Amino acid sequence: MIKVVGVVGAGTMGNGIAQVFAQAGFSVRLLDVAQPMLDRARAAIDKSLAKFVEKGQLSPADRDAAIGRLSTTTTLDDLVDADYIVEAIVEDVDAKRALFTSLDAIARREVVLASNTSSISITTLGAATRRPAQVLGMHFMNPVPVMTLVELIRGQSTSAESMQVASELCARLRKTAVEAADYPGFIANRILMPMINEAVYALMEGVGTPEAIDTVMKLGLNHPMGPLALADFIGLDVCLAILNVLHEGLGDPKYRPCPLLRRLVAAGHLGRKSGRGFYMY
Ligand SMILES: NC(=O)c1ccc[n+]([C@@H]2O[C@H](COP(=O)([O-])OP(=O)(O)OC[C@H]3O[C@@H](n4cnc5c(N)ncnc54)[C@H](O)[C@@H]3O)[C@@H](O)[C@H]2O)c1
């Protein structure tokens, strides 16, 4: 029976993942490398919960209970009693592999280690552990408390039992789980990222302003958000990392990251989280 959930990485995704597990009644230990990240995560969670209370979708008592179930830490050993662990650190294969090796060393033998990676091979992460059968992808969508989809990714060695554990957890979180095979970008980003990349090429080539490109996709194709606003929301560094994985993993030039995207990331213009991307925030 899963009671304690560890979440590693307290950024855009990690704080949302910690929040939904806490709201669903799990004790959550949220870990990041330093206290300022954890303080920011707590502030983001408080703000999100306040919105649910404002809309009448959550009682103040349930909000307080959820906050009470959440603790934060910078020490990996504090995850030793976790029954399930979700990793949501930077989209970098070496950083993730190193973390999976460390998690494998501290977590009980039967604990499933899930990655929220957008594109990196689950099989590669599993191979960094002695428990590849208990390593899988659990890809939440942004913002986690609002979006109902979770892509579940089965690595080459992931067991059916582990997939079942993750699928039951999704049901407890009231999320819809869809299974995807372990190929770069899985389903969501394999389809989404070429569109975002093409929008950046269109901007670079002067086909339209950011507003024009986003308005065409919103009003002309009924997308709730334009691709450039969505890229800012996801994080331009995250988009670039995913495109690099798609480009390298699939070998098709259509996934080549747009030079303008590279330039913005090099300048530290990462989208909403840095106050500047295709738009100012
Ligand atoms: N941003 C999105 O829309 C989105 C959507 C779905 C999945 N993802 C995936 O989720 C993961 C996290 O993305 P994000 O947007 O939250 O990134 P982010 O940059 O907002 O946050 C990453 C956090 O991880 C922390 N971190 C880095 N190395 C660490 C380590 N070794 N141990 C503990 N913490 C560490 C960082 O300090 C940072 O707080 C990535 O794999 C990304 O591809 C992102």
Side-chain angles (χ1 to χ4, degrees):
M1 179 76 172
I2 292 170
K3 289 190 178 145
V4 179
V5 174
V7 178
V8 187
T12 310
M13 295 304 288
N15 72 59
I17 295 167
Q19 179 184 330
V20 295
F21 274 107
Q23 279 186 262
F26 297 91
S27 287
V28 179
R29 314 241 191 289
L30 176 61
L31 178 139
D32 208 301
V33 288
Q35 195 57 40
M37 283 81 165
L38 294 169
D39 294 342
R40 269 203 297 276
R42 273 206 182 272
I45 292 170
D46 286 348
K47 198 170 154 197
S48 169
L49 289 172
K51 264 195 218 154
F52 282 114
V53 172
E54 239 169 66
K55 288 188 195 151
Q57 293 166 347
L58 183 73
S59 73
D62 286 347
R63 173 201 55 201
D64 294 346
I67 292 171
R69 283 190 285 267
L70 179 79
S71 62
T72 57
T73 179
T74 54
T75 311
L76 206 60
D77 280 344
D78 286 341
L79 300 190
V80 73
D81 64 341
D83 303 311
Y84 188 89
I85 298 179
V86 185
E87 167 277 315
I89 70 165
V90 286
E91 188 73 347
D92 177 282
V93 67
D94 294 333
K96 285 194 196 287
R97 278 179 56 88
L99 177 66
F100 270 76
T101 301
S102 305
L103 290 173
D104 185 46
I106 62 141
R108 290 193 314 279
R109 188 66 198 85
E110 70 278 12
V111 169
V112 170
L113 306 178
S115 174
N116 184 54
T117 179
S118 303
S119 59
I120 290 170
S121 163
I122 297 303
T123 305
T124 301
L125 300 182
T129 73
R130 291 161 302 172
R131 66 179 85 193
Q134 280 111 275
V135 174
L136 51 78
M138 193 178 200
H139 182 217
F140 289 86
M141 305 290 138
N142 186 11
V144 183
V146 176
M147 303 297 279
T148 54
L149 179 78
V150 178
E151 262 184 307
L152 290 183
I153 299 102
R154 187 193 284 261
Q156 185 64 34
S157 311
T158 311
S159 69
E161 291 74 23
S162 300
M163 293 301 284
Q164 186 61 29
V165 167
S167 166
E168 281 166 15
L169 276 179
C170 288
R172 285 181 67 186
L173 298 175
R174 300 215 188 105
K175 304 282 188 201
T176 300
V178 171
E179 194 175 318
D182 189 19
Y183 290 107
F186 319 124
I187 297 173
N189 283 301
R190 181 166 180 157
I191 298 172
L192 172 65
M193 283 301 153
M195 182 187 74
I196 286 179
N197 202 34
E198 198 58 36
V200 188
Y201 272 111
L203 176 66
M204 187 177 79
E205 290 167 12
V207 181
T209 62
E211 290 79 5
I213 292 166
D214 280 348
T215 302
V216 165
M217 298 304 282
K218 276 195 295 185
L219 303 188
L221 288 111
N222 249 357
H223 288 202
M225 238 176 164
L228 298 175
L230 178 57
D232 275 357
F233 187 66
I234 293 169
L236 301 193
D237 53 335
V238 176
C239 292
L240 178 58
I242 298 170
L243 279 161
N244 278 328
V245 171
L246 285 168
H247 191 211
E248 279 161 28
L250 298 167
D252 188 325
K254 80 178 173 199
Y255 299 108
R256 185 174 73 98
C258 178
L260 176 58
L261 182 62
R262 287 191 188 285
R263 202 172 77 187
L264 288 170
V265 172
H269 299 173
L270 307 182
R272 276 187 196 227
K273 64 184 166 189
S274 70
R276 191 169 179 179
F278 295 109
Y279 298 92
M280 301 286 281
Y281 299 91

